[in-house]
Amino acid sequence: MNKIKCGVIGATGYAGAELVRLLASHPYAEIAAVSSTSAEGQALESIYPNLKGLNLPILENADSLIETCDVVFASLPHGLAEELAVKCLKKGALLIDLSADFRLDDASVYTKWYKKEFNHPDLHEKSVYALPELSREAIKKAEIIGNPGCYPTTIALGLMPALKNGLTNDEHIVIDSKSGVTGAGRGLTQGTHYPDTNEAFSAYKAGAHRHTPEIEQTLSRIAGREVKVTFVPHLLPVNRGIESSIYFTLADGVTFEQVRAAYEEAYKDESFVRVEPDGAYANVKNVRMSNFCDISLHFDAHANTVIVCSCIDNMVKGAAGQAIQNMNIKFGLEETAGLTAYPPAF
Amino acid sequence: MNKIKCGVIGATGYAGAELVRLLASHPYAEIAAVSSTSAEGQALESIYPNLKGLNLPILENADSLIETCDVVFASLPHGLAEELAVKCLKKGALLIDLSADFRLDDASVYTKWYKKEFNHPDLHEKSVYALPELSREAIKKAEIIGNPGCYPTTIALGLMPALKNGLTNDEHIVIDSKSGVTGAGRGLTQGTHYPDTNEAFSAYKAGAHRHTPEIEQTLSRIAGREVKVTFVPHLLPVNRGIESSIYFTLADGVTFEQVRAAYEEAYKDESFVRVEPDGAYANVKNVRMSNFCDISLHFDAHANTVIVCSCIDNMVKGAAGQAIQNMNIKFGLEETAGLTAYPPAF
Amino acid sequence: MNKIKCGVIGATGYAGAELVRLLASHPYAEIAAVSSTSAEGQALESIYPNLKGLNLPILENADSLIETCDVVFASLPHGLAEELAVKCLKKGALLIDLSADFRLDDASVYTKWYKKEFNHPDLHEKSVYALPELSREAIKKAEIIGNPGCYPTTIALGLMPALKNGLTNDEHIVIDSKSGVTGAGRGLTQGTHYPDTNEAFSAYKAGAHRHTPEIEQTLSRIAGREVKVTFVPHLLPVNRGIESSIYFTLADGVTFEQVRAAYEEAYKDESFVRVEPDGAYANVKNVRMSNFCDISLHFDAHANTVIVCSCIDNMVKGAAGQAIQNMNIKFGLEETAGLTAYPPAF
Amino acid sequence: MNKIKCGVIGATGYAGAELVRLLASHPYAEIAAVSSTSAEGQALESIYPNLKGLNLPILENADSLIETCDVVFASLPHGLAEELAVKCLKKGALLIDLSADFRLDDASVYTKWYKKEFNHPDLHEKSVYALPELSREAIKKAEIIGNPGCYPTTIALGLMPALKNGLTNDEHIVIDSKSGVTGAGRGLTQGTHYPDTNEAFSAYKAGAHRHTPEIEQTLSRIAGREVKVTFVPHLLPVNRGIESSIYFTLADGVTFEQVRAAYEEAYKDESFVRVEPDGAYANVKNVRMSNFCDISLHFDAHANTVIVCSCIDNMVKGAAGQAIQNMNIKFGLEETAGLTAYPPAF
């Protein structure tokens, strides 16, 4: 079989570099092209010496990249993906977009949070919000793939069985998330300067993070009614990993045992979701460098509240790994192709 | 003026070592004695080389220590403080206990969570739960001082103005806390072994931590009615610091501006509580090595939910520093004596 | 082809767990058995939840493990490998020993540093000190494989081209090495307790580390004359990685350009050694999770001194990965089988 | 007594912020003015919220600052201090300069390494290289104080007793230093971006760091003959602290016991230098936040080599603390004034 020709737009960013690393050992894919606006003409290995030896193509521009690829992974700031989609559709390449541009259904919501318009509303009819565990069949048919955000992935997987089965009294769900610093990207900021980040911890954008509408859209879709959340992210002094602690009260008459049973049933055939045994806690260290989402369930009986802890590697299941999982689904490959590495213990 | 003769029982533990460090530069106190069961007869500087040069007394036993001190700081596992209190009262020394033994009013609650009895119920009449910002006057009169827990300090200070002024719809408050690893103490465990802790993050004892009854006791006392919380602590890979993110919904008719005003009013004369300006976030790095509690206030209007972020250094305001603040109050000193050091920026 | 049946003795230790992780994705090997004295009868996934999903065999004892395996990886404290070797030879299994027991040629040197005797001197005739880049042909013929130490691997690879080509004035080589904390193993010690290790840095066993005789044995063998080193290890607050900074003065008439040329020539066909370009520095982050050894070369002209910086992941090229590389050599597989993963950038 | 009016030029940089923190608790000094080119007119507390509550003066410009101060601490990039010195001398203020501008005696050496000229050679006659343990008497008389570099401080203190007493065979001294990330300052660079720095370690500027001439100048002055070093710094993933491992061979006939005796004698009356007992290792964690320099001595008998491990907090003894120590000396205060805080254990 010919290998799938993959291109990575924005290869010098963190998600781009992770895509390259993972695709390099994918059995059915090859890295046909990489692009970068800031480093066109350079070797990616000169920027990421960890990759030395892969003999990657030289960084080119996005347009020439699209011409040579079957699949185009785009990891750019929001607002640029529609134009890429037009070009990919014309060329017959699949666009897997890691930005927020193909995640929101409602143009006005997108405009409110991202200060941009949908210039090509028709494209959004052809795209899918591609969380595999939720929308596997739709992904197979989509022409454009909108890869979910990192925080929303932990939250959707952390709540899906509860919402789908009506186990929550979902007036109001509190979500307290913590992300490793790679989530902020490779760009330099005072807040990610080592001495300012190390031995530090705080919330940011409390109740005001752009992932909020994406989270509520997905949860409402799952629940079949409007779900409202308070979402507060925090910056965690580790390189990789997100932990979301999710708090909901049980619906009347529902027991915690039913909750556990629903989660085990929902994920029993999923390759990448692991439900922790009773008493164990999901920990970012157990999913690092892998595409797993680990979920643990806890109960505060005196307040009738369930606590779900949901962990992923933000760069893998939260970005590059999930994008590859989506490619695998779309191309009819086994879903784990190129994603079989287990997390290291340390 | 003669300096106050201070003794530290459990000086080889982390809170004990921090007490020694802080007392060493207290203008009105001197370290008259230090004790340790495991290291009696040794020099504390041999265990903590950072302290070399202080010329501390040799580690002795608790009984001989009490005989030479005006104030006895005890930092031992729970279940041992009542016996110390008997001895201190007899000698005429003030006991400041950093364990949980003098924190809970209700003997049955203590027994439920700590599996021990109150053997001397009368002592608990003479003791006070000594959070200075809440109980300054009572501390001045108490014969035994029960120093608050680290998590409960962030939470009581983080909610006091809201509860006291009836601003919350307090059916149910969610508290998501994160603590640096010194909170687990100096004893060796797999969970605090460096490679298992570094680049890791998870919750523990969700809805089941022993600080829960202490938190609810304090909040209920402030509110004047029963307050129920869901409290989930997490282990944060930093040495020092606690951040508690606290979620409550506003009472009917209350605005966020009223909340902010209540906090600013409540703490305007407090030396150790700093309310952050609008848009800023409390961060553990800004309180490290100091007795400050930094509090920031945020509002999720679409869910009518206030988020309070409350940060302390768990070893200072959460343990040793607050104990010294209590000594200062009891002895009529300025409350900041020995606690004037500002946090380093990095 | 039938997969090679591999067994890991000491699977609950860090090197053992890393062997399991790497072997799990080896295309020609399977994990037939795992053993542990402390956890016999348990599932390894219960101790290492990161491995959940691998469906590993239950932990058994070393004797039964040997019976079912073609290759036995032993990762135990020193002094136990000879007995394992007797059993493996009898069974016809290849022993790859990660302890120090098959590294030293001279029984008296072993006894001096490890306080044990060679009880079976004949076994040491059948074993090889298995640094592939140095002894590939001997490894193919050996009946017992002594896997090199982590520090010695960085140092032998860092000096081999210089010593082999007589480029050093090797009266005295200074080696300043720094190792991540996994190098100290999974056992609990005060020195690896998180708050004592984080934000800390110091040397240990200066001029007295047990790797010194192994280093001098290898370097002397390469140079063809006695080489003496001063070796000082330091504990580095990261999980993984060793950096050795090696200082030697140039032999008369030798230029730094000749040194660089010798290194590039020596390693041009090696899969796992990467010589950095001029001006770049070997960094532990660029080899993490991989079997690479990155080497950079620097020159202090005013003191006629070359500085070699040599980096590996102590758990991979310094332990588990190199052991698998040795298995590959011995079994005639491509040397990179199971070791093709590239290091992550972060 | 009136307090000394202190000004800090470059207060928004890391060394400047540390000066402010330390001066704020100095018993005989007050912060009369702070300046910053980039943040003139702002409150320093808005940039460093850790300082909130100090009620510092608003950031002004350097010229107006000088007018109001008795002592001017300047923490700016090199090349700017001569002009400040002219103004300070005119005003009658003492300049304590933390840049490299008043460290080197030889104008040509300065020009070679810093690409600038001495425009006012006469000023360098009035200045002193102010390492207190080396030049206390000269500091008392100097009109301008050149504060030593961070690395050179560890090295000068680490070698002074050996060189002064002729104990080394000092043909060539190897110095392998490691510095925490604050040493690189507050400015943003890719190399100090958190995900690129955390879990990373490498050398930089091997044999080519600008501190080399300063080191050799000081060591040669101490030894009374030319001393040559190979100096290689490394970036250590901690916030604060420098460890220098220094390697020298013993002069003929000298024993290690004589070395130890010389160090203990040299530093027995020094307030800030602590010589570790036999078997202990200097560790950056034991000096953090303090003005101490901890020194440990080790011997590799088989290579006749002494290893000195010398640790400081780069921001305190390596910058702000030493500057204050110099002010204390110049003003006839006790040398420890404002510097009495002991390092925390964690």
Side-chain angles (χ1 to χ4, degrees):
Chain A
M1 177 180 122
N2 282 342
K3 289 195 170 185
I4 303 167
K5 288 180 191 303
C6 296
V8 178
I9 296 178
T12 56
Y14 278 167
E18 189 75 349
L19 274 162
V20 169
R21 182 179 75 89
L22 292 172
L23 288 169
S25 60
H26 194 293
Y28 312 121
E30 65 175 307
I31 300 168
V34 288
S35 84
S36 160
T37 306
S38 61
E40 194 179 335
Q42 296 182 36
L44 189 58
E45 292 97 325
S46 70
I47 297 166
Y48 287 105
N50 57 302
L51 300 177
K52 203 167 68 170
L54 282 180
N55 298 317
L56 298 166
I58 290 297
L59 289 158
E60 57 190 278
N61 63 58
D63 286 349
S64 64
L65 176 149
I66 291 170
E67 289 313 305
T68 56
C69 292
D70 304 316
V71 180
V72 173
F73 295 92
S75 179
L76 295 178
H78 63 271
L80 302 168
E82 283 185 331
E83 294 309 318
L84 294 177
V86 169
K87 292 173 186 171
C88 286
L89 285 175
K90 192 169 162 199
K91 194 273 176 182
L94 175 71
L95 175 67
I96 301 181
D97 181 46
L98 282 79
S99 85
D101 291 352
F102 286 104
R103 291 181 193 158
L104 295 173
D105 294 337
D106 187 329
S108 67
V109 172
Y110 178 75
T111 300
K112 176 182 168 198
W113 290 85
Y114 291 93
K115 313 298 173 207
K116 308 237 172 181
E117 310 283 325
F118 278 3
N119 293 319
H120 299 273
D122 56 307
L123 293 175
H124 299 269
E125 302 299 316
K126 298 175 178 170
S127 74
V128 66
Y129 181 78
L131 185 69
E133 291 77 6
L134 178 63
S135 308
R136 195 168 274 118
E137 292 312 309
I139 294 166
K140 291 180 188 169
K141 294 175 206 139
E143 293 175 65
I144 299 167
I145 285 177
N147 215 52
C150 50
Y151 286 123
T153 295
T154 60
I155 296 162
L157 293 175
L159 280 170
M160 190 161 60
L163 291 175
K164 202 175 248 174
N165 293 285
L167 307 180
T168 72
N169 163 12
D170 57 8
E171 286 180 1
H172 183 206
I173 297 176
V174 169
I175 303 166
D176 190 292
S177 294
K178 303 88 182 175
S179 173
V181 187
T182 51
R186 188 169 180 256
L188 306 182
T189 66
Q190 201 68 51
T192 53
H193 187 49
Y194 184 89
D196 291 356
T197 310
N198 182 40
E199 300 293 290
F201 186 80
S202 79
Y204 67 98
K205 294 186 188 165
H209 192 282
R210 282 170 170 174
H211 281 174
T212 306
E214 179 183 341
I215 293 164
E216 293 189 338
Q217 171 184 285
T218 305
L219 298 185
S220 297
R221 192 179 297 166
I222 296 168
R225 52 176 172 161
E226 198 194 340
V227 176
K228 198 174 279 188
V229 303
T230 291
F231 168 59
V232 178
H234 301 69
L235 186 65
L236 181 65
V238 303
N239 276 5
R240 291 167 176 256
I242 289 179
E243 194 263 2
S244 291
S245 292
I246 306 169
Y247 300 81
F248 65 82
T249 50
L250 282 183
D252 285 352
V254 174
T255 66
F256 180 59
E257 288 64 36
Q258 288 174 281
V259 173
R260 173 168 290 285
Y263 277 72
E264 287 173 352
E265 175 62 23
Y267 294 128
K268 70 178 194 303
D269 295 325
E270 288 295 341
S271 299
F272 293 120
V273 184
R274 304 189 293 193
V275 180
E276 296 285 340
D278 192 35
Y281 285 84
N283 190 320
V284 295
K285 92 183 164 96
N286 291 328
V287 297
R288 294 175 71 239
M289 317 281 163
S290 85
N291 204 48
F292 286 117
C293 176
D294 279 5
I295 291 173
S296 65
L297 301 165
H298 314 279
F299 190 48
D300 177 3
H302 99 303
N304 199 36
T305 296
V306 173
I307 304 107
V308 181
C309 298
S310 176
C311 289
I312 63 168
D313 183 321
N314 56 305
M315 300 308 296
V316 187
K317 184 64 175 169
Q322 186 144 272
I324 292 171
Q325 186 181 359
N326 281 321
M327 176 184 77
N328 292 342
I329 290 170
K330 180 74 189 171
F331 280 72
L333 306 173
E334 59 270 46
E335 204 163 314
T336 58
L339 299 169
T340 52
Y342 265 71
F346 35 78
Chain B
M1 179 181 120
N2 282 341
K3 290 194 170 186
I4 302 167
K5 288 181 191 302
C6 296
V8 178
I9 295 177
T12 56
Y14 278 168
E18 189 74 349
L19 274 162
V20 169
R21 181 178 75 89
L22 292 172
L23 288 169
S25 59
H26 194 293
Y28 312 121
E30 66 176 307
I31 300 167
V34 289
S35 84
S36 161
T37 306
S38 62
E40 194 178 336
Q42 295 181 36
L44 188 58
E45 290 97 326
S46 69
I47 297 165
Y48 288 103
N50 56 303
L51 300 177
K52 202 166 68 169
L54 281 179
N55 298 315
L56 299 166
I58 291 296
L59 290 158
E60 58 190 277
N61 63 59
D63 286 350
S64 64
L65 177 148
I66 292 170
E67 288 313 306
T68 56
C69 293
D70 304 316
V71 180
V72 173
F73 295 92
S75 179
L76 295 177
H78 63 271
L80 301 168
E82 283 185 331
E83 293 309 319
L84 294 176
V86 169
K87 291 173 186 171
C88 286
L89 286 176
K90 193 170 160 198
K91 195 273 176 183
L94 174 70
L95 175 66
I96 300 180
D97 181 46
L98 283 79
S99 84
D101 290 353
F102 286 104
R103 293 182 192 158
L104 296 173
D105 294 338
D106 186 331
S108 67
V109 171
Y110 179 75
T111 300
K112 177 182 167 197
W113 289 86
Y114 291 92
K115 313 298 173 206
K116 307 240 172 179
E117 310 284 326
F118 280 3
N119 293 318
H120 300 274
D122 55 309
L123 293 176
H124 299 268
E125 302 299 317
K126 298 175 178 169
S127 74
V128 66
Y129 181 77
L131 184 68
E133 291 78 6
L134 179 64
S135 308
R136 194 168 274 118
E137 293 311 308
I139 293 165
K140 291 180 187 168
K141 295 175 205 139
E143 293 176 66
I144 299 167
I145 285 177
N147 214 54
C150 50
Y151 287 122
T153 294
T154 60
I155 295 162
L157 294 175
L159 280 170
M160 191 161 59
L163 291 175
K164 202 175 250 174
N165 294 287
L167 308 180
T168 73
N169 163 12
D170 59 5
E171 287 180 1
H172 183 207
I173 297 175
V174 168
I175 303 165
D176 189 292
S177 295
K178 305 86 181 174
S179 173
V181 187
T182 51
R186 188 168 180 256
L188 306 182
T189 65
Q190 201 68 49
T192 53
H193 187 49
Y194 184 89
D196 291 357
T197 310
N198 182 40
E199 300 293 292
F201 186 81
S202 78
Y204 66 99
K205 293 186 187 162
H209 192 282
R210 282 169 169 173
H211 281 174
T212 307
E214 180 184 341
I215 294 164
E216 293 188 337
Q217 170 184 288
T218 305
L219 299 185
S220 299
R221 192 179 297 165
I222 296 169
R225 52 178 172 162
E226 199 193 340
V227 176
K228 198 174 277 189
V229 304
T230 290
F231 168 60
V232 178
H234 300 71
L235 187 65
L236 182 65
V238 303
N239 276 4
R240 290 166 177 256
I242 290 179
E243 194 263 4
S244 291
S245 292
I246 306 169
Y247 301 80
F248 64 83
T249 49
L250 282 184
D252 285 353
V254 174
T255 66
F256 180 57
E257 288 64 36
Q258 289 174 282
V259 173
R260 173 168 290 283
Y263 277 72
E264 286 173 354
E265 175 63 22
Y267 293 128
K268 69 179 196 301
D269 296 325
E270 288 294 342
S271 300
F272 294 120
V273 184
R274 303 189 293 193
V275 180
E276 296 285 340
D278 193 36
Y281 286 84
N283 190 319
V284 296
K285 92 183 164 97
N286 290 328
V287 297
R288 295 175 70 237
M289 316 283 164
S290 85
N291 204 48
F292 287 117
C293 177
D294 278 4
I295 291 173
S296 64
L297 301 166
H298 314 280
F299 189 46
D300 177 4
H302 100 304
N304 200 35
T305 296
V306 173
I307 304 108
V308 181
C309 298
S310 175
C311 289
I312 62 169
D313 182 321
N314 58 305
M315 300 308 296
V316 187
K317 184 66 177 169
Q322 186 144 273
I324 292 170
Q325 185 181 0
N326 281 321
M327 176 184 77
N328 292 342
I329 291 170
K330 179 75 187 170
F331 280 73
L333 307 173
E334 58 270 48
E335 205 163 313
T336 58
L339 299 169
T340 53
Y342 265 71
F346 36 77
Chain C
M1 180 182 119
N2 282 341
K3 289 195 170 185
I4 302 168
K5 288 181 192 303
C6 295
V8 178
I9 295 177
T12 56
Y14 278 168
E18 188 74 350
L19 275 161
V20 169
R21 180 178 76 88
L22 292 172
L23 287 169
S25 60
H26 194 292
Y28 311 121
E30 65 175 309
I31 301 168
V34 288
S35 84
S36 161
T37 305
S38 61
E40 194 178 335
Q42 296 181 35
L44 188 58
E45 290 97 326
S46 70
I47 297 165
Y48 287 104
N50 57 302
L51 300 177
K52 203 166 69 169
L54 281 180
N55 298 317
L56 298 166
I58 291 297
L59 290 158
E60 57 189 276
N61 64 58
D63 286 350
S64 64
L65 176 149
I66 292 170
E67 288 312 305
T68 56
C69 292
D70 304 317
V71 180
V72 173
F73 295 93
S75 179
L76 295 177
H78 65 270
L80 301 168
E82 283 186 331
E83 293 309 319
L84 294 176
V86 169
K87 292 172 186 170
C88 286
L89 285 175
K90 193 169 161 198
K91 193 272 177 183
L94 175 70
L95 175 66
I96 300 181
D97 181 45
L98 282 79
S99 84
D101 291 352
F102 286 105
R103 291 182 194 159
L104 296 172
D105 294 336
D106 186 330
S108 68
V109 171
Y110 179 76
T111 300
K112 177 183 166 196
W113 289 86
Y114 291 92
K115 314 297 173 206
K116 307 238 172 181
E117 310 283 326
F118 279 3
N119 293 320
H120 300 273
D122 56 307
L123 293 175
H124 299 268
E125 303 299 318
K126 299 175 178 172
S127 74
V128 66
Y129 181 77
L131 184 69
E133 292 77 7
L134 179 64
S135 308
R136 194 167 274 119
E137 292 311 308
I139 293 166
K140 292 179 186 167
K141 295 175 205 141
E143 293 176 66
I144 298 166
I145 285 177
N147 214 55
C150 49
Y151 287 122
T153 294
T154 60
I155 296 162
L157 294 174
L159 280 169
M160 191 160 61
L163 291 175
K164 204 175 248 174
N165 293 286
L167 307 179
T168 73
N169 163 13
D170 59 5
E171 285 179 1
H172 182 208
I173 297 176
V174 168
I175 303 166
D176 189 291
S177 295
K178 304 86 181 174
S179 172
V181 187
T182 51
R186 188 169 180 256
L188 306 182
T189 65
Q190 201 69 50
T192 53
H193 187 49
Y194 184 88
D196 291 357
T197 310
N198 182 41
E199 300 293 291
F201 186 80
S202 79
Y204 67 99
K205 293 186 187 163
H209 192 282
R210 281 170 169 172
H211 281 173
T212 307
E214 180 184 341
I215 293 163
E216 293 188 337
Q217 171 184 286
T218 305
L219 299 185
S220 297
R221 193 179 296 165
I222 296 168
R225 53 178 171 159
E226 199 194 340
V227 176
K228 198 174 279 188
V229 303
T230 290
F231 168 60
V232 178
H234 301 70
L235 187 64
L236 182 65
V238 303
N239 276 5
R240 290 166 177 256
I242 290 179
E243 194 263 4
S244 291
S245 292
I246 307 169
Y247 301 81
F248 64 82
T249 49
L250 282 184
D252 285 351
V254 174
T255 66
F256 180 57
E257 288 64 37
Q258 288 174 282
V259 173
R260 172 168 291 284
Y263 278 73
E264 286 173 354
E265 174 64 21
Y267 294 128
K268 70 179 195 302
D269 296 324
E270 288 294 342
S271 300
F272 293 121
V273 184
R274 303 189 293 195
V275 179
E276 296 285 341
D278 193 36
Y281 285 84
N283 190 320
V284 296
K285 92 183 163 96
N286 291 327
V287 297
R288 295 176 70 238
M289 316 282 164
S290 85
N291 204 49
F292 287 116
C293 177
D294 279 5
I295 291 173
S296 65
L297 302 166
H298 314 280
F299 189 47
D300 177 4
H302 100 302
N304 200 36
T305 296
V306 173
I307 303 107
V308 181
C309 298
S310 175
C311 290
I312 62 169
D313 183 321
N314 57 305
M315 300 309 295
V316 187
K317 185 63 176 170
Q322 186 144 273
I324 291 170
Q325 186 182 359
N326 281 321
M327 176 184 77
N328 291 342
I329 292 170
K330 179 74 187 170
F331 280 74
L333 307 172
E334 59 269 49
E335 206 164 310
T336 58
L339 300 169
T340 52
Y342 264 70
F346 35 76
Chain D
M1 180 180 118
N2 283 341
K3 289 195 171 186
I4 302 167
K5 288 181 192 303
C6 296
V8 178
I9 295 177
T12 56
Y14 278 168
E18 189 74 351
L19 274 162
V20 169
R21 182 178 75 88
L22 292 171
L23 288 170
S25 60
H26 194 293
Y28 311 121
E30 64 176 308
I31 300 168
V34 288
S35 84
S36 160
T37 306
S38 62
E40 194 179 334
Q42 297 182 36
L44 189 59
E45 291 97 325
S46 69
I47 297 165
Y48 287 105
N50 56 301
L51 299 178
K52 202 166 70 170
L54 281 179
N55 298 317
L56 298 166
I58 291 296
L59 289 159
E60 57 190 278
N61 63 59
D63 286 349
S64 64
L65 177 148
I66 291 170
E67 288 312 305
T68 57
C69 292
D70 305 316
V71 180
V72 173
F73 294 92
S75 179
L76 295 177
H78 64 270
L80 302 168
E82 283 185 332
E83 293 310 318
L84 294 176
V86 169
K87 292 172 186 171
C88 287
L89 285 175
K90 193 170 159 197
K91 193 273 177 183
L94 176 69
L95 175 67
I96 301 181
D97 181 45
L98 283 79
S99 84
D101 291 352
F102 286 104
R103 292 181 193 158
L104 295 173
D105 293 338
D106 187 330
S108 67
V109 172
Y110 178 74
T111 300
K112 177 182 167 197
W113 288 86
Y114 291 92
K115 314 297 173 208
K116 308 237 173 183
E117 310 284 325
F118 279 4
N119 293 318
H120 299 274
D122 55 307
L123 294 175
H124 299 269
E125 301 300 316
K126 298 176 178 169
S127 74
V128 66
Y129 181 78
L131 184 69
E133 292 77 6
L134 179 62
S135 309
R136 194 167 275 119
E137 293 311 309
I139 294 166
K140 292 179 188 169
K141 294 174 207 139
E143 293 176 65
I144 299 167
I145 285 178
N147 214 53
C150 50
Y151 287 121
T153 295
T154 61
I155 295 161
L157 294 175
L159 281 169
M160 190 161 60
L163 291 175
K164 204 174 248 174
N165 293 286
L167 307 179
T168 72
N169 163 12
D170 58 8
E171 286 180 1
H172 183 205
I173 296 176
V174 168
I175 303 166
D176 190 292
S177 294
K178 303 89 181 173
S179 173
V181 186
T182 51
R186 187 167 180 257
L188 307 182
T189 66
Q190 200 69 50
T192 53
H193 187 49
Y194 184 88
D196 291 357
T197 310
N198 182 40
E199 300 293 291
F201 186 80
S202 78
Y204 68 99
K205 295 188 187 162
H209 192 283
R210 283 171 169 172
H211 282 174
T212 306
E214 179 184 342
I215 294 164
E216 293 188 338
Q217 171 184 286
T218 305
L219 299 185
S220 298
R221 191 178 297 165
I222 296 168
R225 52 175 173 163
E226 199 194 339
V227 176
K228 199 174 276 188
V229 304
T230 291
F231 169 59
V232 179
H234 301 70
L235 187 65
L236 182 64
V238 303
N239 276 5
R240 290 167 177 255
I242 290 180
E243 195 263 2
S244 292
S245 291
I246 306 169
Y247 301 81
F248 65 82
T249 49
L250 282 183
D252 285 352
V254 173
T255 66
F256 180 58
E257 288 64 37
Q258 289 174 279
V259 173
R260 172 169 291 285
Y263 278 73
E264 288 174 351
E265 176 62 22
Y267 294 129
K268 70 179 195 302
D269 296 325
E270 288 294 342
S271 299
F272 293 121
V273 185
R274 304 189 293 194
V275 179
E276 296 284 340
D278 193 35
Y281 286 84
N283 190 321
V284 296
K285 91 182 164 97
N286 290 329
V287 297
R288 294 175 71 239
M289 316 282 164
S290 84
N291 204 48
F292 286 117
C293 176
D294 279 4
I295 291 173
S296 65
L297 301 165
H298 314 280
F299 190 47
D300 177 4
H302 101 302
N304 199 37
T305 296
V306 173
I307 304 107
V308 181
C309 298
S310 176
C311 290
I312 63 168
D313 183 320
N314 56 305
M315 299 308 296
V316 187
K317 184 64 174 169
Q322 186 144 272
I324 292 170
Q325 185 181 359
N326 281 322
M327 175 183 77
N328 292 342
I329 291 170
K330 179 74 187 170
F331 279 73
L333 306 173
E334 58 269 48
E335 204 163 314
T336 58
L339 300 169
T340 53
Y342 265 70
F346 35 76

